[in-house]
Amino acid sequence: MKAMTPSSPQRPAGVAEIVFEADTIAAAVARVAAEIARDAAAEPVTLVGVLKGALFFSADLARALPPECDARLDFIVASSYGDSHRSSGEVRLLKDTSESVEGKNVVILEDVVDNGLTLQYVRGLLASRRPRSLRSCVLLDKPYRRVATVALDYVGLTAPDTFIVGYGLDYQEKYRTLPYLARLDDRVFE
Ligand code: PRP
């Protein structure tokens, strides 16, 4: 396998700048986890991570909940970006939840909300199944190009107006596994 040429010891080629370091992400995850646990009170909560992007966010947030919080973890797979850095505007459901959400306190976990169409679609889908409550939690809010009006109950960080990768976010399936959130060099898109 061909190795990426690093532009610095920590950064792969194409990464222009780290926007949020791993410790900043961890602090944001801990804060929203505490908010979710507070609002759940003593009731069980079902976390529904939206893959692939929310993979690491879901895993870290679930483990940041206090042990007394009765949390279950489920996933859906949805995609709208394909290989582009612009949304197709059409959300495709590639995998549904494993368990029924009917009557449950559901919190949707998204890595990023940009135009909002993915979260609008997922909210609509889960709301139609009559959960007891339905909230949305996003690690990274990008409020600059919103098309859909979506309620964000928990927000970890607000992104600058640029394309961000890392910590689950990809460009053409690359950069997802970076432990930080980073801005890509514009030349990557040429
Ligand atoms: C990304 C991200 C969100 C969605 C947000 O998913 O994980 O689910 O886009 O964008 P929006 O608010 O503009 O709809 P993507 O379609 O790239 O699939 P992925 O999670 O598999 O990377």
Side-chain angles (χ1 to χ4, degrees), residues 50-54 77-82 84 87 91 94 110-119 145-146 168-170 173 176:
V50 183
L51 298 179
K52 297 177 194 170
V77 184
S79 181
S80 64
Y81 278 70
S84 170
S87 170
V91 183
L94 304 177
E110 262 287 24
D111 51 313
V112 59
V113 174
D114 189 356
N115 65 34
L117 289 171
T118 305
L119 182 58
R145 265 169 289 280
R146 209 70 108 230
L169 284 71
D170 73 307
E173 293 301 326
R176 252 193 230 285

Side-chain angles (χ1 to χ4, degrees), residues 6-185:
S7 56
S8 79
Q10 287 89 31
R11 296 186 209 164
V15 170
E17 173 194 15
I18 296 177
V19 177
F20 294 112
E21 297 277 4
D23 57 352
T24 304
I25 298 169
V29 170
R31 179 172 49 75
V32 291
E35 291 171 7
I36 289 170
R38 178 201 63 204
D39 293 348
E43 294 193 18
V45 60
T46 296
L47 307 172
V48 177
V50 183
L51 298 179
K52 297 177 194 170
L55 169 64
F56 304 116
F57 180 44
S58 303
D60 288 344
L61 185 137
R63 291 177 298 171
L65 292 169
E68 65 273 17
C69 183
D70 182 1
R72 295 108 200 267
L73 194 51
D74 208 334
F75 295 98
I76 66 170
V77 184
S79 181
S80 64
Y81 278 70
D83 266 356
S84 170
H85 69 292
R86 293 206 176 85
S87 170
S88 67
E90 182 190 338
V91 183
R92 290 185 303 144
L93 181 69
L94 304 177
K95 180 208 165 289
D96 210 333
T97 57
S98 305
E99 306 295 323
S100 168
V101 298
E102 186 172 349
K104 299 195 177 145
N105 295 306
V106 175
V107 179
I108 300 166
L109 303 180
E110 262 287 24
D111 51 313
V112 59
V113 174
D114 189 356
N115 65 34
L117 289 171
T118 305
L119 182 58
Q120 183 183 55
Y121 172 84
V122 173
R123 276 194 73 100
L125 181 76
L126 298 183
S128 72
R129 297 168 177 174
R130 294 176 294 167
R132 175 147 193 240
S133 65
L134 183 60
R135 293 194 169 102
S136 302
C137 174
V138 59
L139 174 65
L140 200 59
D141 184 18
K142 291 181 80 176
Y144 315 104
R145 265 169 289 280
R146 209 70 108 230
V147 173
T149 307
V150 280
L152 301 180
D153 301 286
Y154 310 101
V155 177
L157 300 161
T158 300
D161 187 10
T162 187
F163 194 81
I164 304 275
V165 295
Y167 197 72
L169 284 71
D170 73 307
Y171 175 58
Q172 295 184 339
E173 293 301 326
K174 286 189 284 193
Y175 307 108
R176 252 193 230 285
T177 56
L178 297 175
Y180 45 74
L181 289 159
R183 177 173 70 80
L184 284 185
D185 193 310

